[in-house]
Amino acid sequence: MPKGKGPQGKRITLKVAKNAVRVLFNGRRRLELSKMGIAVFPKCLLELADVEEIDLSRNMLRKIPNIIEKFQNLMWLDLHSNQIDELPAEIGTLQNLTYLNLCNNKLTTKGLPEELTRLKNLRTLNLGLNCLETIPTTLGALRELIELGLFDNSLTIIPKSVKKLPKLERLNVKRNPLPEFAKEDEPIDTVKRIESLYLVEKKDLCNSCLQMCQGERDELHKLEDVTPGPSDKPSFPSLTTPNSTAIDNQEEWRMKDENLENIPGQSTDDVP
């Protein structure tokens, strides 16, 4: 590898790119180049600039070049799980874009250009798992936004202009140091509840996702080694074996009944 240069990654030819185009049920054409080991945005993709969707997720991309502005038909762009630290201003020219996934990258606040707010038709924006410390108040200009992912960042405040977006239905801000969401009095649950389970092969995970999964696996192994403490529930030893005590009591009362029957004028109804 030449000194001072990053990984070259896999070279994508025009033939490979053309073979990666899929026609979806809605008639859109999606260019699927996920998990291809791409480190540099292939210039040959300009020959396919009329596609409506591009999937470049799970690669090694560090930069998105300004030639992205050539993809004016683009409605869906998935760039999650790369190493992107900034977006070009030209991203704002994609006026037809409705879906943009930038999750699990290295984006900082400075890496979000002001032109991002020109995406007036954007409905889904995922910025989770990045390095964001603040969110530009100008994101409040995305009036069509329905879903916004901001989870797993370093945010301490969410601008009011963002929280009050008129069509926003889902705002995910989990695992941020937000004081407004702190719950000091909430008891700590040492048992992790599984809400969703996804099965993937280890080779399909990026380094950060793999490390996270391995860490959670180690935590589960620690919980398995913990010896359960005494139960707080009341104990009823007499009920351990069903009817064991009841059988003894029945025999005792049966003997009393037989003795009472032998006493003239005495009945079991008189027993207190």
Side-chain angles (χ1 to χ4, degrees), residues 1 62 91 109-110 143 162 167 169 172 203 224 272:
M1 183 187 302
R62 294 181 179 274
I91 194 79
T109 304
K110 293 181 179 180
R143 311 292 287 180
V162 173
K167 296 186 179 181
E169 297 178 1
N172 189 344
K203 64 182 179 61
E224 291 175 355

Side-chain angles (χ1 to χ4, degrees), residues 1-10 37-40 60-63 83 106:
M1 183 187 302
K3 185 178 180 180
K5 292 188 177 181
Q8 297 301 305
K10 182 178 179 180
I38 303 171
V40 179
M60 301 182 293
L61 291 170
R62 294 181 179 274
K63 303 289 182 183
Q83 301 178 37
K106 297 182 179 181

Side-chain angles (χ1 to χ4, degrees), residues 12-23 29-33 44-48 51:
I12 300 298
T13 64
L14 181 58
K15 182 179 180 180
V16 171
K18 285 183 176 180
N19 290 335
V21 176
R22 304 286 183 268
V23 179
R29 291 161 301 161
R30 177 181 294 182
L31 179 57
E32 296 183 350
L33 294 174
C44 67
L45 298 189
L46 288 174
E47 298 293 329
L48 302 171
V51 296

Side-chain angles (χ1 to χ4, degrees), residues 10-231:
K10 182 178 179 180
R11 183 173 179 267
I12 300 298
T13 64
L14 181 58
K15 182 179 180 180
V16 171
K18 285 183 176 180
N19 290 335
V21 176
R22 304 286 183 268
V23 179
L24 307 180
F25 69 93
N26 55 10
R28 295 183 189 174
R29 291 161 301 161
R30 177 181 294 182
L31 179 57
E32 296 183 350
L33 294 174
S34 179
K35 297 184 292 184
M36 297 290 285
I38 303 171
V40 179
F41 191 92
K43 291 184 178 180
C44 67
L45 298 189
L46 288 174
E47 298 293 329
L48 302 171
D50 57 345
V51 296
E52 291 85 11
E53 301 188 2
I54 295 180
D55 184 358
L56 280 166
S57 64
R58 297 189 177 99
N59 282 295
M60 301 182 293
L61 291 170
R62 294 181 179 274
K63 303 289 182 183
I64 300 299
N66 54 15
I67 59 174
I68 193 69
E69 65 182 352
K70 302 295 183 181
F71 296 81
Q72 286 300 305
N73 291 337
L74 209 56
M75 303 177 68
W76 192 92
L77 179 58
D78 192 346
L79 297 169
H80 86 266
S81 301
N82 279 281
Q83 301 178 37
I84 302 169
D85 56 10
E86 64 176 342
L87 295 174
E90 287 76 10
I91 194 79
T93 65
L94 306 179
Q95 293 297 299
N96 291 315
L97 203 62
T98 61
Y99 176 93
L100 179 57
N101 189 352
L102 293 161
C103 175
N104 193 22
N105 277 283
K106 297 182 179 181
L107 286 168
T108 63
T109 304
K110 293 181 179 180
L112 297 179
E114 185 177 349
E115 288 78 7
L116 191 64
T117 61
R118 295 173 56 187
L119 302 176
K120 301 300 183 182
N121 291 309
L122 199 61
R123 298 177 182 177
T124 299
L125 176 59
N126 193 344
L127 294 171
L129 276 169
N130 276 284
C131 307
L132 301 173
E133 295 182 351
T134 59
I135 290 296
T137 58
T138 51
L139 285 186
L142 301 177
R143 311 292 287 180
E144 296 296 317
L145 209 58
I146 297 175
E147 298 181 80
L148 177 58
L150 299 173
F151 53 92
D152 291 288
N153 279 287
S154 301
L155 303 174
T156 57
I157 188 172
I158 304 297
K160 291 183 179 180
S161 59
V162 173
K163 291 191 291 187
K164 293 184 177 181
L165 283 167
K167 296 186 179 181
L168 192 63
E169 297 178 1
R170 288 177 287 277
L171 174 61
N172 189 344
V173 294
K174 293 180 180 179
R175 294 176 295 278
N176 278 284
L178 292 165
E180 56 190 292
F181 291 99
K183 297 180 180 180
E184 297 179 357
D185 298 330
E186 184 176 349
I188 299 176
D189 188 357
T190 57
V191 180
K192 294 187 176 182
R193 315 295 178 182
I194 298 179
E195 298 178 356
S196 301
L197 178 63
Y198 301 93
L199 299 179
V200 297
E201 294 184 14
K202 184 185 294 186
K203 64 182 179 61
D204 291 336
L205 292 173
C206 60
N207 289 335
S208 58
C209 292
L210 179 59
Q211 291 175 3
M212 181 176 63
C213 291
Q214 290 174 337
E216 292 182 355
R217 181 191 61 189
D218 294 341
E219 290 296 325
L220 287 175
H221 287 168
K222 290 179 182 178
L223 289 175
E224 291 175 355
D225 297 335
V226 175
T227 303
S231 174

